[in-house]
Amino acid sequence: LWVITDAVVNSTVDYACDPAALWLSTPHAQYRLLEPHPEYAPLYKLPGSSRAVPLAESDIASMLKLYEQEEEHPFSYKKGSFIASLQLSHFELTAPDGQARALFQTLPSGSLKAALEAAKSVAPAANPDDARVFVSGQLVPRQAGAARAWVRVGPVRAWALDVERLGEEGKLAPAVWVCCKQAAFLLPVDSAGGFTGEQVHSWLTSDGLLLRLSAETLLQCREHRDPSTAVKLFNVIMMNAWARLPAALSSRYGLKRENFLYERLHTNFIADVLADANYVAMAKRLQEQRKQFIEGRKQQRAREGAASRPRALIGMEAAAQRMELQRKVVAPSAVPTKAPRSPSPACGRPRWGDASAVSPRISEGAHASAAKAPPAERSRRPPAPSLPQHTA
């Protein structure tokens, strides 16, 4: 039946069902809206129904009955205040403008307050938004059958790690806790997804990969009860930890273990995880290995520079020689000039019958060639024509 209701006096969204439903109240009845008309669908935007229209963090307080988790978060709060534990899936970490942003790189010390103080010490006029990270994702319901509402929370005030967390079937499922104003949110590394291309690259090559590598490294160390044994097997442990990461990461993004592991932020991150787990010697060994790697890379670059320098000089000298040779070829060569003939005193020009009129250079050349020729060749040569004699 098609109906036209009276004026709506109240409305509420029911997230206890999936998908969420909108309830409208009139003076005479209540209506549950299930599906919009196709012509009206572009205008119907239920809060929390999609990533484009997420719920605000302040809206979560009335929904804790559906979404509050039993896992306890590691954050402490003042007496009389309460911070609920919630879990997000298909989450993404963004800046205030929605661009991808790495959490561990933005807040390396673990808190927003410390990041803001560090930024002000370097640049007093630094923008506070450069240190703010927001999280968007779907709330994982505690009650069966509830909707997975989309929310956007933040900025993140602090974060903490749970690298030894176990997921389904007892498998390692590391996660990071982020604390916001209204609640603490658990972000399992395996629950990330639904990103754009930029979000995928930022998470898989930065926060997500670093979290996985830290968890695998600590798991390899836990297999040795004596921490000194783990130090002796440092190379084996680090190679095994990297090998247990998804193979698609290294092949798709061209990641190399040494370049990723010995980056300053990544080395300090993993070293802190090992030190917190009482593997202090292993953490020190990791820092020492980073120093050796950096020094070796500097020496290699110096050798490559020294090897390339002579080749460059040789090339420059060869180019200069070619230019000089071209200049000589193009320049006109000096052509010897013949000596002027001496004119005859009688008429100013040589006479045909005068023997002195014959060029001495030609005659000398003829006699020389005749002298050098063998006797047989001399006999075969025709006699030289005699000059005609003219008498006055």
Side-chain angles (χ1 to χ4, degrees):
L1 296 178
W2 291 90
V3 297
I4 297 179
T5 66
D6 296 335
V8 176
V9 296
N10 192 13
S11 65
T12 182
V13 181
D14 184 10
Y15 294 98
C17 58
D18 191 17
L22 176 63
W23 285 88
L24 299 180
S25 300
T26 65
H28 301 92
Q30 291 184 344
Y31 299 89
R32 182 185 180 186
L33 307 185
L34 299 178
E35 185 178 356
H37 191 273
E39 296 181 357
Y40 179 71
L43 303 177
Y44 182 73
K45 297 180 180 179
L46 189 65
S49 59
S50 65
R51 189 188 296 270
V53 283
L55 292 170
E57 185 177 352
S58 58
D59 299 331
I60 301 177
S62 59
M63 305 163 59
L64 295 179
K65 183 179 179 180
L66 298 175
Y67 299 102
E68 186 178 3
Q69 303 293 325
E70 295 180 355
E71 291 187 67
E72 295 184 0
H73 58 77
F75 306 108
S76 59
Y77 43 88
K78 297 179 180 180
K79 185 177 181 180
S81 61
F82 173 75
I83 300 179
S85 298
L86 304 175
Q87 181 176 342
L88 292 179
S89 65
H90 298 86
F91 58 86
E92 62 181 12
L93 306 173
T94 63
D97 58 356
Q99 300 295 324
R101 175 167 288 181
L103 175 64
F104 302 143
Q105 184 177 1
T106 307
L107 306 178
S109 57
S111 66
L112 176 61
K113 181 179 180 181
L116 292 175
E117 292 177 354
K120 289 182 179 180
S121 62
V122 176
N127 187 2
D129 289 342
D130 295 339
R132 292 174 179 171
V133 181
F134 290 80
V135 186
S136 300
Q138 284 183 297
L139 287 171
V140 177
R142 179 182 178 183
Q143 180 178 337
R148 290 177 173 261
W150 288 91
V151 295
R152 187 172 189 266
V153 298
V156 176
R157 297 187 174 186
W159 58 263
L161 300 178
D162 190 358
V163 294
E164 295 183 283
R165 177 177 176 270
L166 299 179
E168 298 179 358
E169 300 179 0
K171 295 183 179 180
L172 184 65
V176 57
W177 284 93
V178 293
C179 180
C180 299
K181 184 178 181 180
Q182 300 290 336
F185 299 88
L186 179 67
L187 310 179
V189 66
D190 294 329
S191 298
F195 299 151
T196 59
E198 183 183 4
Q199 294 290 346
V200 169
H201 187 274
S202 177
W203 174 258
L204 295 182
T205 62
S206 182
D207 293 339
L209 182 59
L210 187 56
L211 186 58
R212 288 180 184 272
L213 184 58
S214 302
E216 294 292 347
T217 303
L218 183 57
L219 180 63
Q220 294 291 324
C221 293
R222 292 294 191 192
E223 296 180 357
H224 307 282
R225 297 181 179 179
D226 188 1
S228 60
T229 305
V231 176
K232 296 178 182 178
L233 301 175
F234 174 82
N235 293 330
V236 177
I237 289 176
M238 300 310 300
M239 291 179 62
N240 292 341
W242 183 265
R244 293 176 65 89
L245 298 178
L249 295 180
S250 57
S251 61
R252 182 185 305 174
Y253 299 104
L255 299 176
K256 295 183 178 180
R257 179 174 64 90
E258 291 81 4
N259 295 338
F260 182 85
L261 177 61
Y262 295 125
E263 190 173 338
R264 180 186 296 274
L265 173 65
H266 301 165
T267 302
N268 295 338
F269 187 93
I270 299 177
D272 292 342
V273 172
L274 295 175
D276 293 341
N278 297 325
Y279 286 90
V280 180
M282 188 71 174
K284 292 182 179 179
R285 176 66 183 277
L286 179 61
Q287 296 285 5
E288 294 174 357
Q289 288 295 121
R290 180 186 179 274
K291 294 180 180 179
Q292 295 179 7
F293 175 78
I294 298 299
E295 185 65 25
R297 188 166 59 181
K298 290 181 180 179
Q299 295 178 0
Q300 181 180 1
R301 291 177 178 175
R303 289 193 297 267
E304 292 177 354
S308 62
R309 206 171 296 119
R311 288 197 296 268
L313 294 177
I314 293 174
M316 294 174 62
E317 293 176 358
Q321 293 177 1
R322 288 195 298 269
M323 294 178 62
E324 182 67 19
L325 181 60
Q326 293 176 0
R327 187 182 63 81
K328 290 181 179 179
V329 171
V330 173
S333 59
V335 179
T337 58
K338 296 182 179 181
R341 297 177 180 178
S342 57
S344 175
C347 59
R349 61 179 181 179
R351 294 176 298 168
W352 291 103
D354 193 357
S356 63
V358 181
S359 174
R361 182 172 301 176
I362 298 176
S363 62
E364 290 176 3
H367 290 298
S369 60
K372 293 181 181 179
E377 188 176 354
R378 293 178 196 172
S379 61
R380 290 196 300 267
R381 287 184 178 179
S386 59
L387 296 175
Q389 299 293 329
H390 298 276
T391 56

Short mmCIF file of all heavy atoms in Angstrom, two decimals, residues 281-317:
data_model
loop_
_atom_site.label_atom_id
_atom_site.label_comp_id
_atom_site.label_asym_id
_atom_site.label_seq_id
_atom_site.Cartn_x
_atom_site.Cartn_y
_atom_site.Cartn_z
N ALA A 281 69.62 -7.16 24.68
CA ALA A 281 70.83 -7.45 23.90
C ALA A 281 70.51 -7.56 22.41
O ALA A 281 71.29 -7.12 21.56
CB ALA A 281 71.48 -8.74 24.40
N MET A 282 69.37 -8.14 22.10
CA MET A 282 68.97 -8.24 20.70
C MET A 282 68.70 -6.85 20.11
O MET A 282 69.04 -6.58 18.95
CB MET A 282 67.72 -9.11 20.60
CG MET A 282 67.30 -9.46 19.21
SD MET A 282 68.43 -10.64 18.45
CE MET A 282 67.56 -10.97 16.90
N ALA A 283 68.12 -5.97 20.91
CA ALA A 283 67.85 -4.60 20.44
C ALA A 283 69.17 -3.85 20.18
O ALA A 283 69.30 -3.13 19.18
CB ALA A 283 67.01 -3.86 21.46
N LYS A 284 70.16 -4.04 21.07
CA LYS A 284 71.45 -3.39 20.87
C LYS A 284 72.14 -3.93 19.62
O LYS A 284 72.77 -3.18 18.87
CB LYS A 284 72.34 -3.59 22.10
CG LYS A 284 71.85 -2.85 23.34
CD LYS A 284 72.80 -3.07 24.50
CE LYS A 284 72.32 -2.32 25.74
NZ LYS A 284 73.24 -2.54 26.90
N ARG A 285 72.04 -5.23 19.41
CA ARG A 285 72.66 -5.83 18.22
C ARG A 285 72.01 -5.26 16.94
O ARG A 285 72.70 -5.02 15.94
CB ARG A 285 72.49 -7.34 18.26
CG ARG A 285 73.01 -8.08 17.03
CD ARG A 285 74.51 -7.96 16.90
NE ARG A 285 74.98 -8.60 15.68
CZ ARG A 285 75.22 -9.91 15.56
NH1 ARG A 285 75.03 -10.73 16.61
NH2 ARG A 285 75.66 -10.42 14.43
N LEU A 286 70.73 -5.04 16.98
CA LEU A 286 70.05 -4.47 15.83
C LEU A 286 70.55 -3.06 15.54
O LEU A 286 70.78 -2.69 14.37
CB LEU A 286 68.54 -4.46 16.07
CG LEU A 286 67.66 -3.87 14.96
CD1 LEU A 286 67.83 -4.67 13.67
CD2 LEU A 286 66.20 -3.86 15.38
N GLN A 287 70.75 -2.27 16.58
CA GLN A 287 71.27 -0.91 16.38
C GLN A 287 72.70 -0.94 15.85
O GLN A 287 73.07 -0.13 14.98
CB GLN A 287 71.23 -0.14 17.71
CG GLN A 287 69.83 0.09 18.28
CD GLN A 287 69.07 1.18 17.53
OE1 GLN A 287 69.53 1.72 16.53
NE2 GLN A 287 67.89 1.51 18.02
N GLU A 288 73.51 -1.88 16.34
CA GLU A 288 74.88 -1.99 15.84
C GLU A 288 74.91 -2.41 14.38
O GLU A 288 75.72 -1.92 13.59
CB GLU A 288 75.66 -3.00 16.70
CG GLU A 288 75.87 -2.54 18.14
CD GLU A 288 76.51 -3.62 19.00
OE1 GLU A 288 76.73 -4.75 18.46
OE2 GLU A 288 76.77 -3.37 20.18
N GLN A 289 74.04 -3.34 14.02
CA GLN A 289 73.98 -3.78 12.63
C GLN A 289 73.57 -2.64 11.70
O GLN A 289 74.04 -2.56 10.57
CB GLN A 289 73.00 -4.94 12.49
CG GLN A 289 73.50 -6.25 13.07
CD GLN A 289 74.71 -6.77 12.32
OE1 GLN A 289 75.78 -6.95 12.91
NE2 GLN A 289 74.55 -7.02 11.04
N ARG A 290 72.71 -1.78 12.20
CA ARG A 290 72.32 -0.63 11.37
C ARG A 290 73.52 0.29 11.13
O ARG A 290 73.72 0.77 10.01
CB ARG A 290 71.19 0.14 12.05
CG ARG A 290 70.75 1.36 11.25
CD ARG A 290 69.74 2.21 11.98
NE ARG A 290 69.38 3.36 11.16
CZ ARG A 290 70.06 4.50 11.13
NH1 ARG A 290 71.14 4.64 11.90
NH2 ARG A 290 69.68 5.50 10.35
N LYS A 291 74.32 0.53 12.17
CA LYS A 291 75.50 1.39 12.01
C LYS A 291 76.46 0.78 10.99
O LYS A 291 77.02 1.49 10.14
CB LYS A 291 76.19 1.59 13.35
CG LYS A 291 75.37 2.38 14.36
CD LYS A 291 76.13 2.53 15.66
CE LYS A 291 75.29 3.32 16.68
NZ LYS A 291 76.01 3.45 17.98
N GLN A 292 76.67 -0.53 11.07
CA GLN A 292 77.56 -1.19 10.11
C GLN A 292 77.00 -1.10 8.69
O GLN A 292 77.74 -0.90 7.72
CB GLN A 292 77.77 -2.64 10.51
CG GLN A 292 78.49 -2.82 11.84
CD GLN A 292 78.66 -4.29 12.21
OE1 GLN A 292 78.36 -5.19 11.42
NE2 GLN A 292 79.15 -4.53 13.42
N PHE A 293 75.71 -1.25 8.57
CA PHE A 293 75.09 -1.18 7.24
C PHE A 293 75.23 0.22 6.66
O PHE A 293 75.56 0.37 5.47
CB PHE A 293 73.62 -1.56 7.35
CG PHE A 293 72.86 -1.41 6.06
CD1 PHE A 293 72.96 -2.35 5.06
CD2 PHE A 293 72.03 -0.30 5.86
CE1 PHE A 293 72.26 -2.20 3.86
CE2 PHE A 293 71.33 -0.15 4.67
CZ PHE A 293 71.45 -1.10 3.68
N ILE A 294 74.99 1.25 7.46
CA ILE A 294 75.12 2.63 6.98
C ILE A 294 76.56 2.93 6.59
O ILE A 294 76.83 3.55 5.55
CB ILE A 294 74.60 3.61 8.04
CG1 ILE A 294 73.11 3.37 8.32
CG2 ILE A 294 74.84 5.04 7.61
CD1 ILE A 294 72.22 3.57 7.13
N GLU A 295 77.53 2.47 7.42
CA GLU A 295 78.94 2.71 7.11
C GLU A 295 79.36 1.98 5.85
O GLU A 295 80.08 2.52 5.01
CB GLU A 295 79.80 2.27 8.30
CG GLU A 295 81.27 2.60 8.15
CD GLU A 295 81.54 4.09 8.11
OE1 GLU A 295 80.71 4.85 8.66
OE2 GLU A 295 82.56 4.48 7.53
N GLY A 296 78.91 0.74 5.71
CA GLY A 296 79.23 0.00 4.49
C GLY A 296 78.64 0.64 3.24
O GLY A 296 79.28 0.65 2.18
N ARG A 297 77.45 1.19 3.35
CA ARG A 297 76.84 1.86 2.20
C ARG A 297 77.61 3.13 1.84
O ARG A 297 77.77 3.45 0.66
CB ARG A 297 75.38 2.17 2.50
CG ARG A 297 74.61 2.69 1.32
CD ARG A 297 73.12 2.66 1.59
NE ARG A 297 72.75 3.44 2.75
CZ ARG A 297 71.51 3.56 3.21
NH1 ARG A 297 70.52 2.93 2.58
NH2 ARG A 297 71.25 4.29 4.28
N LYS A 298 78.10 3.85 2.85
CA LYS A 298 78.89 5.04 2.56
C LYS A 298 80.19 4.67 1.85
O LYS A 298 80.59 5.34 0.89
CB LYS A 298 79.20 5.79 3.86
CG LYS A 298 77.99 6.46 4.50
CD LYS A 298 78.40 7.19 5.77
CE LYS A 298 77.19 7.87 6.42
NZ LYS A 298 77.58 8.57 7.67
N GLN A 299 80.85 3.62 2.31
CA GLN A 299 82.09 3.20 1.67
C GLN A 299 81.85 2.73 0.24
O GLN A 299 82.65 2.99 -0.66
CB GLN A 299 82.74 2.09 2.50
CG GLN A 299 83.20 2.54 3.88
CD GLN A 299 83.79 1.41 4.69
OE1 GLN A 299 83.87 0.26 4.22
NE2 GLN A 299 84.21 1.70 5.91
N GLN A 300 80.77 2.05 0.01
CA GLN A 300 80.45 1.60 -1.34
C GLN A 300 80.20 2.77 -2.27
O GLN A 300 80.67 2.79 -3.42
CB GLN A 300 79.22 0.69 -1.31
CG GLN A 300 78.83 0.15 -2.68
CD GLN A 300 77.61 -0.75 -2.60
OE1 GLN A 300 77.06 -0.97 -1.53
NE2 GLN A 300 77.21 -1.29 -3.75
N ARG A 301 79.50 3.78 -1.79
CA ARG A 301 79.27 4.96 -2.62
C ARG A 301 80.57 5.69 -2.91
O ARG A 301 80.77 6.21 -4.01
CB ARG A 301 78.28 5.89 -1.92
CG ARG A 301 76.85 5.34 -1.85
CD ARG A 301 75.95 6.27 -1.08
NE ARG A 301 74.58 5.78 -1.05
CZ ARG A 301 73.59 6.36 -0.36
NH1 ARG A 301 73.83 7.47 0.32
NH2 ARG A 301 72.37 5.83 -0.38
N ALA A 302 81.48 5.71 -1.90
CA ALA A 302 82.77 6.36 -2.12
C ALA A 302 83.58 5.61 -3.17
O ALA A 302 84.23 6.22 -4.02
CB ALA A 302 83.54 6.44 -0.81
N ARG A 303 83.56 4.27 -3.12
CA ARG A 303 84.29 3.48 -4.12
C ARG A 303 83.70 3.68 -5.51
O ARG A 303 84.42 3.79 -6.50
CB ARG A 303 84.27 2.00 -3.74
CG ARG A 303 85.13 1.65 -2.54
CD ARG A 303 85.31 0.15 -2.44
NE ARG A 303 84.04 -0.51 -2.23
CZ ARG A 303 83.54 -0.82 -1.02
NH1 ARG A 303 84.21 -0.49 0.07
NH2 ARG A 303 82.38 -1.44 -0.92
N GLU A 304 82.40 3.70 -5.59
CA GLU A 304 81.77 3.92 -6.89
C GLU A 304 82.09 5.30 -7.44
O GLU A 304 82.33 5.46 -8.64
CB GLU A 304 80.25 3.74 -6.76
CG GLU A 304 79.82 2.31 -6.46
CD GLU A 304 78.33 2.20 -6.27
OE1 GLU A 304 77.67 3.27 -6.25
OE2 GLU A 304 77.82 1.08 -6.11
N GLY A 305 82.15 6.30 -6.56
CA GLY A 305 82.51 7.63 -7.03
C GLY A 305 83.95 7.71 -7.49
O GLY A 305 84.26 8.35 -8.49
N ALA A 306 84.87 7.02 -6.73
CA ALA A 306 86.27 7.03 -7.13
C ALA A 306 86.48 6.27 -8.43
O ALA A 306 87.33 6.62 -9.25
CB ALA A 306 87.12 6.41 -6.02
N ALA A 307 85.72 5.20 -8.64
CA ALA A 307 85.86 4.42 -9.87
C ALA A 307 85.30 5.16 -11.08
O ALA A 307 85.80 5.02 -12.20
CB ALA A 307 85.16 3.07 -9.72
N SER A 308 84.26 5.94 -10.88
CA SER A 308 83.66 6.65 -11.99
C SER A 308 84.41 7.93 -12.34
O SER A 308 84.31 8.43 -13.45
CB SER A 308 82.20 6.99 -11.66
OG SER A 308 82.14 7.84 -10.51
N ARG A 309 85.22 8.46 -11.41
CA ARG A 309 85.92 9.71 -11.66
C ARG A 309 86.99 9.58 -12.76
O ARG A 309 87.03 10.40 -13.67
CB ARG A 309 86.54 10.22 -10.36
CG ARG A 309 86.74 11.73 -10.32
CD ARG A 309 87.15 12.20 -8.94
NE ARG A 309 86.14 11.96 -7.96
CZ ARG A 309 86.28 11.20 -6.88
NH1 ARG A 309 87.43 10.59 -6.67
NH2 ARG A 309 85.31 11.04 -6.02
N PRO A 310 87.91 8.58 -12.77
CA PRO A 310 88.87 8.46 -13.88
C PRO A 310 88.21 8.26 -15.22
O PRO A 310 88.68 8.79 -16.22
CB PRO A 310 89.71 7.24 -13.47
CG PRO A 310 89.55 7.15 -11.99
CD PRO A 310 88.17 7.62 -11.72
N ARG A 311 87.15 7.48 -15.27
CA ARG A 311 86.47 7.28 -16.53
C ARG A 311 85.94 8.60 -17.08
O ARG A 311 85.98 8.85 -18.28
CB ARG A 311 85.33 6.27 -16.36
CG ARG A 311 85.80 4.85 -16.15
CD ARG A 311 84.67 3.87 -16.40
NE ARG A 311 83.60 4.03 -15.43
CZ ARG A 311 83.53 3.35 -14.30
NH1 ARG A 311 84.48 2.48 -13.98
NH2 ARG A 311 82.53 3.53 -13.47
N ALA A 312 85.46 9.45 -16.21
CA ALA A 312 84.97 10.75 -16.66
C ALA A 312 86.10 11.61 -17.20
O ALA A 312 85.97 12.29 -18.22
CB ALA A 312 84.25 11.46 -15.51
N LEU A 313 87.27 11.56 -16.52
CA LEU A 313 88.39 12.35 -17.00
C LEU A 313 88.89 11.84 -18.34
O LEU A 313 89.23 12.63 -19.23
CB LEU A 313 89.53 12.31 -15.96
CG LEU A 313 89.21 12.99 -14.61
CD1 LEU A 313 90.37 12.82 -13.66
CD2 LEU A 313 88.92 14.47 -14.83
N ILE A 314 88.97 10.51 -18.49
CA ILE A 314 89.40 9.95 -19.77
C ILE A 314 88.45 10.36 -20.89
O ILE A 314 88.87 10.70 -21.99
CB ILE A 314 89.50 8.41 -19.66
CG1 ILE A 314 90.65 8.03 -18.71
CG2 ILE A 314 89.71 7.77 -21.02
CD1 ILE A 314 90.74 6.56 -18.42
N GLY A 315 87.19 10.32 -20.61
CA GLY A 315 86.22 10.74 -21.62
C GLY A 315 86.39 12.20 -22.00
O GLY A 315 86.29 12.57 -23.17
N MET A 316 86.69 13.05 -21.01
CA MET A 316 86.89 14.46 -21.31
C MET A 316 88.15 14.67 -22.14
O MET A 316 88.17 15.48 -23.08
CB MET A 316 86.96 15.25 -20.00
CG MET A 316 85.66 15.26 -19.21
SD MET A 316 85.82 16.05 -17.60
CE MET A 316 86.29 17.71 -18.09
N GLU A 317 89.24 13.95 -21.82
CA GLU A 317 90.47 14.09 -22.60
C GLU A 317 90.27 13.61 -24.03
O GLU A 317 90.76 14.22 -24.98
CB GLU A 317 91.59 13.31 -21.92
CG GLU A 317 92.01 13.89 -20.57
CD GLU A 317 93.05 13.03 -19.89
OE1 GLU A 317 93.40 11.98 -20.48
OE2 GLU A 317 93.52 13.40 -18.82
#
